[in-house]
Amino acid sequence: MRTQVGIIGAGPAGLFLAHLLHRLGIGAIVIECRSRQAVEETVRAGVLEHWVVALMKDLGLGERMMREGHFHDGITLQWNGERHHVDIQGLTGGKRVAVYAQHEVLKDLIAGRLAQGGEIVFGVGGTAIRDLDTGHPAIDFHRDGTGALETIRCDYVIGADGFHGPARQAIPATHRTEYQKIYPFGWLGILTKAPLSWPELIYTNQGDGFALLSTRSPDVQRMYIQCDPAGDIANWPDARIWEQLHARLATNGGWSLTEGPIFQKGIIPLRSFVCEPMQYGRLFIAGDAAHIVPPTGAKGLNLAVADVLVLSRALNAHYKHNRRDLLDQYSATCLRRVWKAERFSWYMTTMLHRNDLETEFERRIHFADLDLVCTSEASARSLAENYVGLPFD
Ligand code: FAD
Ligand code: DHB
């Protein structure tokens, strides 16, 4: 097989890139180690920054998102039984986020790409990258996991293969630096068949710590609680989850959370991670392959899309105008946004979680931080600008 850009991974980074390149008339093939069904069913992030919503529409992929997504003017912060509305829309000159699940975005991207005649090879095995130092890098893979060995010859290889994929490892260890922070807590996420309990997302730090009330549809709600990252989900029967959600979301005003049957639950660890640089020879890495944020503030998916927007512009300048400079600057350009998202996700995470390794002094500082956001317009605006999506430089 021969194409201009070989993309490893059919997550948000790989699929948005395939669409952006198609619109620019640049050829790309995507390979993915999981089945289409597995990709379309994995429950992950939920919040789209305002410019990602605009990009979905721009790419002609926004119809279902506009119909089924929830558009929120603000968020609610809670501690000590009190709720405070942060007017994201008012503080950012009218910008809003959409709550539209990542796997729904992926369904729209996959259907759209296949309808354009684009090539996405699902269920590949043994992905290997080679010849990065030459003008003709290659990606080897086995079709259907263990079937015939096939090769994609291309001009550029894009590693959009998530945190555990092989692309980052293809950058020699001597050429990359990795920065990491592991948090002493994880998130237990559930999907429940229940009606909406509150009109917007609630981020709370109360009792045993963090909880997040989010939504998916009028009758399916998404909720998270802070938990032991090494905990076994078997030790979290539904009654224990509800007890914790009730305690962390309880208000002084007698509001109550509506329960429903839980039909999906899982635990994820929380980590911050950045790999510098995000390129080596003819390899460019994007999204979770290059960086991870803890999920508080919902930056992961949005950051993956930001990387590939920068990359698509750089590839366009290269192919259309024979300019190499934007490709050379890809990593530096992305990392400025990446570190700001790392900072924001770390800030939201430390402010909103109970960390028993910290002192009571630090705990009070986190409540002071929450109080500041809810009483200082400058502080609230800073949170709002980051939450809705920073402008591109
Ligand atoms: P991914 O979505 O990981 O996509 C990479 C793709 O590459 C995958 O489909 C993978 O199967 C494929 N791949 C890997 N190896 C190979 C290979 N060798 N060959 C071919 N293909 C390969 N963010 C939030 O903001 N809020 C959340 O609530 C949230 N929850 C999350 C829950 C989980 C369990 C995880 C893992 C992440 C969560 N995130 C969340 C983060 C967010 O989902 C990611 O930031 C986002 O998916 C990044 O997109 P990506 O395209 O870079 O990587
Ligand atoms: C969701 C996830 C997040 O990380 C977040 O900050 C808000 C919402 C969600 O999955 O709905």
Side-chain angles (χ1 to χ4, degrees), residues 8-14 31-34 39 44-45 102 124 127 160-162 165-166 187 224 268 286-288 295 298-301 304:
I8 307 172
I31 62 164
E32 164 59 51
C33 62
R34 295 183 296 154
V39 170
R44 287 191 179 178
Q102 174 165 333
V124 307
T127 306
D161 51 350
W187 274 20
Y224 300 93
I268 56 159
D288 277 15
K299 292 292 141 220
L301 181 161

Side-chain angles (χ1 to χ4, degrees), residues 10-336:
L15 290 171
F16 266 102
L17 181 61
H19 276 277
L20 289 163
L21 293 181
H22 172 74
R23 193 170 63 167
L24 294 165
I26 299 169
I29 296 174
V30 180
I31 62 164
E32 164 59 51
C33 62
R34 295 183 296 154
S35 66
R36 177 176 178 181
Q37 188 181 353
V39 170
E40 292 187 342
E41 286 180 357
T42 305
V43 178
R44 287 191 179 178
V47 176
L48 306 181
E49 293 179 359
H50 77 99
W51 64 273
V52 177
V53 170
L55 181 61
M56 287 280 285
K57 288 201 269 185
D58 242 35
L59 290 168
L61 299 165
E63 195 259 329
R64 208 162 60 89
M65 172 191 69
M66 295 310 293
R67 203 164 14 96
E68 296 175 15
H70 297 245
F71 289 83
H72 287 189
D73 305 347
I75 58 169
T76 297
L77 296 178
Q78 176 176 342
W79 75 102
N80 276 341
E82 299 290 340
R83 289 193 180 159
H84 305 263
H85 172 69
V86 182
D87 178 12
I88 304 277
Q89 188 176 25
L91 289 159
T92 58
K95 292 176 186 158
R96 297 193 303 169
V97 296
V99 182
Y100 186 59
Q102 174 165 333
H103 66 279
E104 302 297 347
V105 173
L106 294 182
K107 281 184 203 167
D108 298 340
L109 292 171
I110 291 168
R113 199 60 205 110
L114 296 178
Q116 292 160 349
E119 190 153 9
I120 308 172
V121 189
F122 288 100
V124 307
T127 306
I129 306 165
R130 62 184 162 88
D131 303 340
L132 287 174
D133 294 328
T134 73
H136 307 283
I139 308 169
D140 296 326
F141 66 91
H142 290 276
R143 198 170 277 267
D144 302 321
T146 53
L149 179 70
E150 295 192 27
T151 296
I152 300 173
R153 280 273 166 206
C154 47
D155 303 333
Y156 296 99
V157 174
I158 312 304
D161 51 350
F163 185 66
H164 301 288
R168 185 176 66 255
Q169 312 300 336
I171 303 178
T174 47
H175 284 71
R176 66 183 139 91
T177 307
E178 297 181 346
Y179 302 88
Q180 176 159 260
K181 177 177 171 63
I182 308 276
Y183 298 84
F185 33 76
W187 274 20
L188 190 164
I190 63 158
L191 284 172
T192 177
K193 191 152 176 42
L196 211 61
S197 286
W198 189 252
E200 60 191 20
L201 269 59
I202 304 177
Y203 292 85
T204 168
N205 182 1
Q206 193 170 291
D208 286 345
F210 175 81
L212 167 58
L213 188 74
S214 183
T215 186
R216 284 296 178 265
S217 68
D219 54 1
V220 173
Q221 311 310 322
R222 179 81 164 143
M223 300 173 198
Y224 300 93
I225 46 175
Q226 163 182 356
C227 66
D228 176 356
D232 185 346
I233 195 72
N235 294 330
W236 282 95
D238 294 1
R240 184 178 174 205
I241 296 173
W242 287 119
E243 182 212 321
Q244 282 297 321
L245 280 164
H246 281 294
R248 297 180 199 190
L249 286 158
T251 63
N252 301 331
W255 171 89
S256 75
L257 171 67
T258 310
E259 293 186 19
I262 295 176
F263 61 92
Q264 203 268 350
K265 55 180 162 183
I267 292 176
I268 56 159
L270 263 57
R271 128 183 26 235
S272 299
F273 174 89
V274 180
C275 171
E276 292 189 359
M278 295 167 56
Q279 61 197 92
Y280 173 75
R282 290 189 168 240
L283 170 67
F284 295 86
I285 58 175
D288 277 15
H291 41 72
I292 297 283
V293 289
T296 333
K299 292 292 141 220
L301 181 161
N302 296 289
L303 210 47
V305 187
D307 288 348
V308 298
L309 188 58
V310 171
L311 189 51
S312 68
R313 289 175 180 159
L315 285 165
N316 189 48
H318 171 64
Y319 282 115
K320 302 284 160 53
H321 309 292
N322 205 20
R323 279 177 56 185
R324 210 19 253 194
D325 55 329
L326 295 185
L327 276 178
D328 291 341
Q329 291 157 19
Y330 165 74
S331 180
T333 306
C334 288
L335 283 167
R336 289 185 66 197

